[in-house]
Every structure is written in C-alpha cells, then in structure tokens.
C-alpha cells in the first residue's frame, strides 16, 4: 500500500507497473463496438479493488443504460461512465449481463456503490502517477490510428509496443494507464518525441 509521507506525498519511483503489484484485471476485447469508454472505466474500477477483491463488471449493462439512448457502435465518454456509476445504476457483474448479446436484463442491482470519481488536472503527470499508485489505473483518452489488435500504424512500434501520435487531435479511444517508465527510450517511438519516458496502458 502507498500512503502519504511525512512531507505530504510519497516519492514517485522512476518506474511502476501495476501488473507486478497484482493491481490489474485481465485485458478484455471490446470487439467492433465503440465501447472502449465502458471497458476503460470498469477496468479502472476493477483495478481499484485489487488485490483484495477480484471483480468482472459488465460493460454491456453500462452500454445499454436507457438514459444514454444511443447505439453501441457510436461510442461514449468518461462522463457517461461516471454518471452511470455515481447514480448507482451499476456496476453489475459480467455473469449477470454478458457482453455482446445486444440485450440487458431489467432489474439488476449494483454490486458496488461508487462514492467518488476524481477528475485529474490535464497534463499533470505527477497527479496521474500518484493516482495509478493509489488505485491501480487511470482512465484516459487518446487518438489512435489503429482499430483492432491486428492493425498496423506508422506511429506504432510493434517490437517495443510503443505508440505515439505526434499531433494534437481530438481523442477517439479510451485506455487505462497502469504504469510508467521515465527512462523508456524516446527512440522506441516511430514518431519524434521530445524526451524519454512513457506510460504503460491497458487496452481493450
């Protein structure tokens, strides 16, 4: 467990991997639907409960929330996930509502009551790292040119599993940051980056 030091905050390590601390749920496949936002939000929630509690929450139930009134392939965002969780409409378990069948049973009760969702300051790398240390993962958005696990991209180095899109554009995908390495070599990225360092992300 990581707690505050006498100075008010812990010293951040140069490298951290939540997988090594048993703080990551298994990566799951969203398939062809625009459901990365639901996968990322529930993965971050599952990670926050590890290693003491192991859960598999239902993305299907979040996607079929009648208050959203949209089709699964359209996509969503973290605010939709937060509203679903904070209204205690979920989460329910995957066993209660299986992903990808196009339906969601009525009358399911939440397995957990989420009390708080924290929005971190944009670009505050130390705040992101501290949140990963504390909770096992931070949901974030990025822009990707890849559409599935078989995609190739001029911005992705498959051997190093390093991706960086070098321009500022609106995000189109959600993942969960589960670690970092401040010394990850900038040369591993196909795109030119300013300095060494990378986040470790879990993807759906």
């Amino acid at each position: 467990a990581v707690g505050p030091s006498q100075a008010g905050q812990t010293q951040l390590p140069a490298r951290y991997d939540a997988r090594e601390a048993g703080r990551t749920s298994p990566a799951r496949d969203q398939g062809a639907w625009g459901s990365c936002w639901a996968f990322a939000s529930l993965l971050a929630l599952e990670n926050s409960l590890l290693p003491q509690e192991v859960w598999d929450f239902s993305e299907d139930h979040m996607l079929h929330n009648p208050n959203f009134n949209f089709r699964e392939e359209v996509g969503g965002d973290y605010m939709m996930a937060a509203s679903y969780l904070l209204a205690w409409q979920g989460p329910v378990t995957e066993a209660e509502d299986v992903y990808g069948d196009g339906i969601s049973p009525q009358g399911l009760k939440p397995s957990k009551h989420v009390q708080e969702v924290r929005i971190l300051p944009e670009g505050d790398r130390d705040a992101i790292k501290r949140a990963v240390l504390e909770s096992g993962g931070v949901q974030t958005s990025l822009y990707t040119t890849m559409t599935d696990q078989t995609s190739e991209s001029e911005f992705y180095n498959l051997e190093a599993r390093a991706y960086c899109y070098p321009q500022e554009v609106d995000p189109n995908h959600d993942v969960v940051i589960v670690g970092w390495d401040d010394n990850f070599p900038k040369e591993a990225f196909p795109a030119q980056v300013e300095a060494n360092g990378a986040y470790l992300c879990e993807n759906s």
Side-chain angles (χ1 to χ4, degrees):
V2 176
S5 68
Q6 290 183 346
Q9 292 185 322
T10 58
Q11 178 83 20
L12 287 167
R15 179 189 174 278
Y16 176 75
D17 185 338
R19 296 174 300 178
E20 296 169 358
R23 298 292 306 276
T24 54
S25 280
R28 298 184 177 97
D29 185 358
Q30 72 185 68
W33 286 357
S35 52
C36 59
W37 61 280
F39 274 81
S41 62
L42 292 176
L43 175 66
L45 178 57
E46 290 168 6
N47 287 0
S48 73
L49 297 167
L50 288 168
Q52 290 84 3
E53 299 181 39
V54 178
W55 290 89
D56 182 3
F57 295 127
S58 170
E59 294 82 11
D60 210 65
H61 193 258
M62 184 181 285
L63 291 169
H64 290 103
N65 185 323
N67 296 317
F68 295 152
N69 192 28
F70 83 119
R71 300 184 319 275
E72 293 91 345
E73 64 270 18
V74 173
D77 61 30
Y78 72 94
M79 293 301 292
M80 292 168 63
S83 68
Y84 163 86
L85 293 169
L86 292 172
W88 294 355
Q89 295 169 333
V92 304
T93 66
E94 181 71 15
E96 292 175 294
D97 189 354
V98 178
Y99 182 71
D101 60 4
I103 58 170
S104 188
Q106 298 292 314
L108 298 177
K109 302 298 182 188
S111 300
K112 288 287 183 181
H113 285 163
V114 173
Q115 305 294 324
E116 175 185 69
V117 172
R118 285 187 290 160
I119 310 298
L120 301 176
E122 186 174 341
D124 189 335
R125 293 178 180 163
D126 280 359
I128 292 168
K129 291 174 179 178
R130 292 186 194 286
V132 170
L133 277 174
E134 182 181 315
S135 66
V138 172
Q139 179 178 1
T140 191
S141 300
L142 54 82
Y143 178 80
T144 180
T145 57
M146 299 184 291
T147 57
D148 58 38
Q149 65 263 29
T150 63
S151 294
E152 296 180 3
S153 169
E154 62 182 305
F155 305 108
Y156 182 60
N157 177 344
L158 177 60
E159 185 177 345
R161 296 190 175 169
Y163 178 85
C164 179
Y165 190 78
Q167 301 170 28
E168 288 193 25
V169 292
D170 289 337
N172 63 1
H173 189 53
D174 279 14
V175 296
V176 178
I177 299 171
V178 295
W180 67 88
D181 183 350
D182 292 341
N183 298 312
F184 188 84
K186 62 183 180 180
E187 294 80 13
F189 295 103
Q192 186 173 354
V193 299
E194 295 179 2
N196 290 344
Y199 288 121
L200 175 65
C201 297
E202 191 166 356
N203 190 15
S204 57

